[in-house]
Amino acid sequence: MTIDAATILIVEDDDSIREALSMLLESFGYVVHQASDGATALEWLATEVVPRVIIADMMMPNVSGEEFVLTLKRSGRLRSVPIVVLSGHTSARKKAESLGADACLIKPVEVDELLALVEKFTK
Amino acid sequence: MPAKHTHGSSDQTARREIGPLRLLFEHVPGIIWATDRNLRFTYIDGKLLQRGRAEVRGMLGASIHGLFGTSDRTHPLVRLHVAALAGEHPSARFDHNGRWYKVFVEPSFDANGKISGTIGTAIDITEQRDLLRRANFLSDASRLLSSLDAERALSAVAELAVPYLGDACAIDRLNNSVRRRVFSIQANPDFPVRLDDSYSMKTGHVRTYTLDGVAHLVAPICVKDTIVAVFVFAALARRQYRPADLQTADQLVQRASLAMENATLYETAQTALRVRDEFLAIAAHEIRGPLTGIHLAVEVLQKSTTDNAKNRALAIITREDRRLSRFVDELLELARVRTGHLDFVFEPVNVAGVVRDVLSRFSSQMDRIRSTVSLELDASVVGDLDHARLDQVITNLLANAMKFGLGKPIRIAVRALGGHALIVVEDHGLGIAKDVRERIFEPFERGVSVRNYGGLGLGLYIVRTIVERLEGTIRVDSEVDRGTTFTIELPLKRRP
């Protein structure tokens, strides 16, 4: 890890997943910001630094994952931020692709796969 | 039938030529005639003569052309005779005065084997033809009705039935005895026939009547003794409905009834499949969530060096492990409810006590959602009930009130009411729309989207099942954005 640690935004309404994922990524030296729904995440994105990667759940209250990804991909400032979508439904893969997400992982996620993706997008 | 008639000399000549076969000819069902080489009648069936047909009687010795008032050799019937004179064995179908005949004409030969004339036979095939048409019609109708789209199948049958069963046809659908015309078709749209729409009818009875000179045939389609749709046929006065038409209509509606029943079953099956698929998707989601948390936390446990991180990871694993267990319990409970294997242990149970037990379990959650609970408990209400099941009922209702109560006050009341325990759980939250209220107690149904609220949608279904097993009733009153009240009445004593 470089001193200039990469910031990752995690948007996930499941407390355990969000917390564990944050701890895991932090242990690899990333700076993690957590949001428990799409609306909160958008608020944070409007004022704070642009993260290097966004990991977002598909099924969330207050601005669903779908709306969240669409909003980001339509935004001039945030359009180029890679988005990794998480979903509990296998059918989400196609959906994520059509929305313009950069990757889609089906829960329960393969940790190595997730870490590899994050590493690739933060390089 | 013996021939008994008076006839002219030419008739007698013909009869002599036909000779001893005459009796045989006159007893076969068809009509028989014979001509010479010039197609002049040499014999005409006694059955025709007997019917007193003057024009026929005068025909003996005359040319067959006279029959058609023309010497036209291209008339189909004349062509048959001409073909027979050429040694052929032609046959053809003709209609005459509303009846259908199959006509065969054969050459006849003299003693030297030379063609001396013709012998014609006509058989009345009207009945066979009608039967065949009816069979074809019903078979075509059955094919159309095999579609699982009942509405479209009925319209297609109506199109097929015009003009066979009438000059116009309408389909009325019935819903709670409200009649709605969903389709109508006219044989000749330029001259539409008025279709009655204020007819009376009885279940399973095809009937016919005349209205303002228009013959009507009304054929109700029933599913399980309830009229679900009606075919209304109308025909101009020149046509009267005969018993055969009623039979056809009757067979048509029997087939249509089966088709409608199949369509209903199909719809039910489709709904069941949809509900099952939704259930599986939700179940998968409910399992994948906790598993993901556990996977990630295990990874953290392996990587982390601080006790703090390890403890947090362990806390997550414990929490998600419990969540999975609860989910498995819920699935098992569902299996028990579905198969009727819910165990009940009846004993004297203090209802208010159960409410307090449940509430104490919820106290930490209650603090988090900031809801307050007001209690109106009559501690003297004791019934012959199942403690664990009653706990389950109140747990489910309270969990719902907290989930959908938007943090507003919740009220729980227990009191006695005429040999019953009355339990009321009231919230002031989201409320339930009317259409949702009607299915809220069904399995896998939920008043809110899966997106926002998880769970299998089984809570109220299990509540209802338990309440019914306790011989009680459950009612829901609700108004959107105002809140929901569940009211349960349980008999304090069980029926012997």
Side-chain angles (χ1 to χ4, degrees), chain A residues 3 5-6 15 26-27 33 35-36 49 53-54 56 64 87-89 113 122:
Chain A
I3 302 159
D15 295 347
E26 277 163 0
S27 76
H33 183 83
S36 61
V49 289
V53 184
I54 296 171
S64 68
S87 176
H89 296 288
E113 199 183 344
T122 48

Side-chain angles (χ1 to χ4, degrees), chain A residues 14-17 19-21 23-24 28 58-61 64 88-90 106-109 111, chain B residues 281 285 288-289 291-293 295-297 299-300 303 309 312-313 316 319-320 323 450-452:
Chain A
D14 186 310
D15 295 347
S16 298
I17 296 177
E19 213 178 302
L21 188 54
M23 285 164 70
L24 184 68
F28 279 89
M58 269 305 243
M59 218 161 89
M60 293 184 296
S64 68
H89 296 288
T90 39
I106 303 300
K107 294 174 184 176
V109 292
V111 177
Chain B
H285 183 263
R288 285 185 166 127
L291 272 186
T292 309
H295 273 208
L296 294 168
E299 202 74 21
V300 170
K303 298 268 182 335
R312 278 168 66 197
I316 289 172
R319 187 165 72 210
E320 295 310 300
R323 200 169 129 197
V450 183
R451 194 178 289 282
N452 294 338

Side-chain angles (χ1 to χ4, degrees), chain B residues 420-421 464 466-474 488-491:
Chain B
H420 285 73
R464 187 197 67 179
I466 293 173
V467 167
E468 282 172 359
R469 285 286 298 276
L470 293 172
E471 295 166 9
T473 57
I474 180 161
I488 295 176
E489 278 183 49
L490 299 174

Side-chain angles (χ1 to χ4, degrees), chain B residues 286-441:
Chain B
E286 292 290 302
I287 293 169
R288 285 185 166 127
L291 272 186
T292 309
I294 291 172
H295 273 208
L296 294 168
V298 166
E299 202 74 21
V300 170
L301 214 50
Q302 286 168 347
K303 298 268 182 335
S304 64
T305 46
T306 66
D307 281 351
N308 178 38
K310 280 184 178 153
N311 288 338
R312 278 168 66 197
L314 278 173
I316 289 172
I317 292 171
T318 311
R319 187 165 72 210
E320 295 310 300
D321 171 62
R322 283 208 197 105
R323 200 169 129 197
L324 272 180
S325 303
R326 271 203 309 277
F327 180 71
V328 172
D329 285 347
E330 203 181 342
L331 279 187
L332 291 175
E333 186 72 3
L334 170 71
R336 281 194 288 270
V337 171
R338 293 296 258 188
T339 53
H341 286 133
L342 273 184
D343 296 327
F344 282 79
V345 180
F346 289 92
E347 58 187 340
V349 174
N350 185 312
V351 180
V354 176
V355 171
R356 286 192 195 282
D357 287 350
V358 173
L359 211 55
S360 68
R361 276 206 312 276
F362 273 104
S363 60
S364 63
Q365 264 174 280
M366 212 62 101
D367 294 343
R368 188 142 44 92
I369 61 160
R370 296 183 298 274
S371 269
T372 56
V373 179
S374 67
L375 299 175
E376 298 164 22
L377 305 179
D378 179 343
S380 69
V381 181
V382 176
D384 193 9
L385 300 164
D386 179 303
H387 192 285
R389 297 295 169 201
L390 185 60
D391 185 303
Q392 210 173 349
V393 165
I394 293 166
T395 300
N396 266 305
L397 292 183
L398 185 59
N400 270 349
M402 285 166 57
K403 202 167 170 185
F404 306 118
L406 302 176
K408 293 185 180 146
I410 296 168
R411 184 178 74 98
I412 305 178
V414 172
R415 64 170 183 274
L417 185 82
H420 285 73
L422 190 75
I423 307 167
V424 179
V425 179
E426 181 184 6
D427 71 56
H428 296 90
L430 285 178
I432 308 166
K434 188 174 182 296
D435 59 318
V436 180
R437 275 206 300 277
E438 283 161 10
R439 54 186 170 80
I440 198 98
F441 293 109

